[in-house]
Amino acid sequence: MNPGGYAWWYLDALSDDGAHGLCIIAFIGSVFSPYYAAARRRRAADPREHCAFNVVLSGRHRRWTMTERTRQALRVTPDALVIGPSSLRWDGHAYRFELEERGCPLPRALRGTVRVTPLVEPRVAYALDRAQHHLWTPLAPRARVEVELHAPALHWSGAGYLDGNRGERALEQDFHGWQWSRASSPSATAVYYEPRHRADADWPLALGFAAAGHAPRALELPPRLPLGQSRWRIRGHLRSDAPQSTRLLARTVDAPFYARSLWRTRLDGQPAELVHESLDLDRFARRWVQYLLPFRMPRRRAPAAGAR
């Protein structure tokens, strides 16, 4: 991996009863790390020195964890990623997250297992910029997810989505930010990825995923639906062909440069859940924002991978 580069694996899931939500992002070269940003300003920074599992639980049992660890805590094989005591593994049939994290600023434990069984596996990489410095790979855009946590005590199953991103240099070097959303119904998932480039003309990705064995389908972009400002005044929009029936269910992350929310809409004439994120990289690059972030993102010089 290049100095200044990154890779991440992103999962989000919603329980079948709508009561619980989960997002996990496993980072090598944590793109939202103030420590990595500072290291890049000083020299050619090693992404392996800035690794983390970010876990966000929403619903009645809310949790936030994002502890950054050094390269001694990292182990990577063709089928496994281990960062400190947490890991992501592929067993040939499903992805398995083993989580052993602690929240910040409230030091509440988060421990347990998340199993992700793909229903669709396109495994095709898409460039987010013409120079192909940044790639997005939908790994399991339709999946079933089983959550078995011991801390907090929580068990549920539901629909989920898993992808991966990889890049050769910092996001803020090439993008102002982006709007991203996925709308999932019982029969299909639509993903809208809209980066705002610094040098290139913008070109959004709009893809539909249905049954296993079928190639992703290019979609027409639905009309924009402007969103109100987040608490940190992040502006955004989502895409919906049924704006009159699209409504906010929950705001799951509201950070100085990033907002994630859950909406109800319609997809192919069916009710659908829509996960949306707005990312403002111009805001992230401001020093005052990066001075705030260690409050939620502590850094540890960790023991070897797999150890606490």
Side-chain angles (χ1 to χ4, degrees), residues 97-175:
F97 291 86
E98 295 286 351
L99 303 173
E100 178 77 32
E101 298 291 330
R102 187 164 293 276
C104 187
L106 298 177
R108 296 182 295 183
L110 192 150
R111 297 192 304 273
T113 301
V114 178
R115 183 176 174 86
V116 183
T117 303
L119 303 178
V120 179
E121 297 179 86
R123 295 182 178 271
V124 177
Y126 298 87
L128 298 179
D129 62 321
R130 286 192 172 86
Q132 300 189 20
H133 292 307
H134 308 271
L135 301 176
W136 164 61
T137 304
L139 299 170
R142 293 175 54 74
R144 288 298 297 172
V145 177
E146 294 285 337
V147 177
E148 184 72 56
L149 299 182
H150 310 297
L154 188 61
H155 172 74
W156 53 264
S157 59
Y161 166 97
L162 178 70
D163 73 11
N165 280 58
R166 182 176 296 270
E168 298 175 344
R169 53 194 197 174
L171 288 178
E172 65 269 24
Q173 186 172 346
D174 294 315
F175 302 109

Side-chain angles (χ1 to χ4, degrees), residues 17-302:
D17 63 5
H20 307 283
L22 170 70
C23 179
I24 304 173
I25 314 177
F27 292 98
I28 302 175
S30 179
V31 294
F32 305 134
S33 162
Y35 315 103
Y36 193 24
R40 289 195 303 267
R41 288 194 295 269
R42 293 192 298 268
R43 61 186 181 278
D46 182 357
R48 297 166 185 82
E49 284 291 329
H50 305 275
C51 304
F53 266 88
N54 176 216
V55 186
V56 182
L57 277 178
S58 56
R60 187 163 63 90
H61 300 277
R62 299 181 69 87
R63 292 287 192 279
W64 164 281
T65 79
M66 194 170 180
T67 300
E68 183 169 307
R69 294 179 165 91
T70 58
R71 66 181 302 149
Q72 289 78 17
L74 174 67
R75 185 170 73 244
V76 181
T77 71
D79 297 321
L81 167 69
V82 181
I83 301 173
S86 296
S87 63
L88 166 60
R89 289 181 168 86
W90 168 251
D91 65 11
H93 303 284
Y95 297 91
R96 184 182 179 92
F97 291 86
E98 295 286 351
L99 303 173
E100 178 77 32
E101 298 291 330
R102 187 164 293 276
C104 187
L106 298 177
R108 296 182 295 183
L110 192 150
R111 297 192 304 273
T113 301
V114 178
R115 183 176 174 86
V116 183
T117 303
L119 303 178
V120 179
E121 297 179 86
R123 295 182 178 271
V124 177
Y126 298 87
L128 298 179
D129 62 321
R130 286 192 172 86
Q132 300 189 20
H133 292 307
H134 308 271
L135 301 176
W136 164 61
T137 304
L139 299 170
R142 293 175 54 74
R144 288 298 297 172
V145 177
E146 294 285 337
V147 177
E148 184 72 56
L149 299 182
H150 310 297
L154 188 61
H155 172 74
W156 53 264
S157 59
Y161 166 97
L162 178 70
D163 73 11
N165 280 58
R166 182 176 296 270
E168 298 175 344
R169 53 194 197 174
L171 288 178
E172 65 269 24
Q173 186 172 346
D174 294 315
F175 302 109
H176 293 287
W178 62 54
Q179 305 293 311
W180 179 92
S181 61
R182 69 156 181 100
S184 295
S185 74
S187 61
T189 294
V191 179
Y192 308 110
Y193 210 148
E194 301 179 73
R196 291 177 51 233
H197 298 265
R198 294 197 182 277
D200 291 341
D202 295 343
W203 78 92
L205 292 169
L207 295 171
F209 305 90
H214 288 71
R217 179 169 58 96
L219 303 175
E220 294 290 330
L221 273 177
R224 281 188 184 213
L225 179 59
L227 305 178
Q229 291 183 346
S230 72
R231 182 181 61 178
W232 287 94
R233 299 192 176 184
I234 300 296
R235 292 187 177 274
H237 67 267
L238 56 77
R239 298 285 181 170
S240 174
D241 54 11
Q244 68 282 357
S245 61
T246 300
R247 64 184 183 89
L248 177 67
L249 298 179
R251 297 192 185 277
T252 55
V253 177
D254 195 341
F257 62 92
Y258 178 86
R260 187 187 303 126
S261 50
L262 177 65
W263 299 74
R264 180 159 291 144
T265 187
R266 298 187 72 81
L267 175 64
D268 293 335
Q270 301 181 67
E273 305 292 345
L274 185 145
V275 177
H276 173 268
E277 65 178 34
S278 294
L279 173 63
D280 187 335
L281 290 166
D282 293 337
R283 176 78 66 82
F284 169 75
R286 295 178 183 174
R287 296 292 181 89
W288 68 266
V289 170
Q290 295 185 18
Y291 290 143
L292 293 176
L293 298 182
F295 176 68
R296 300 298 298 275
M297 302 179 188
R299 176 171 166 83
R300 294 179 183 168
R301 294 198 170 276

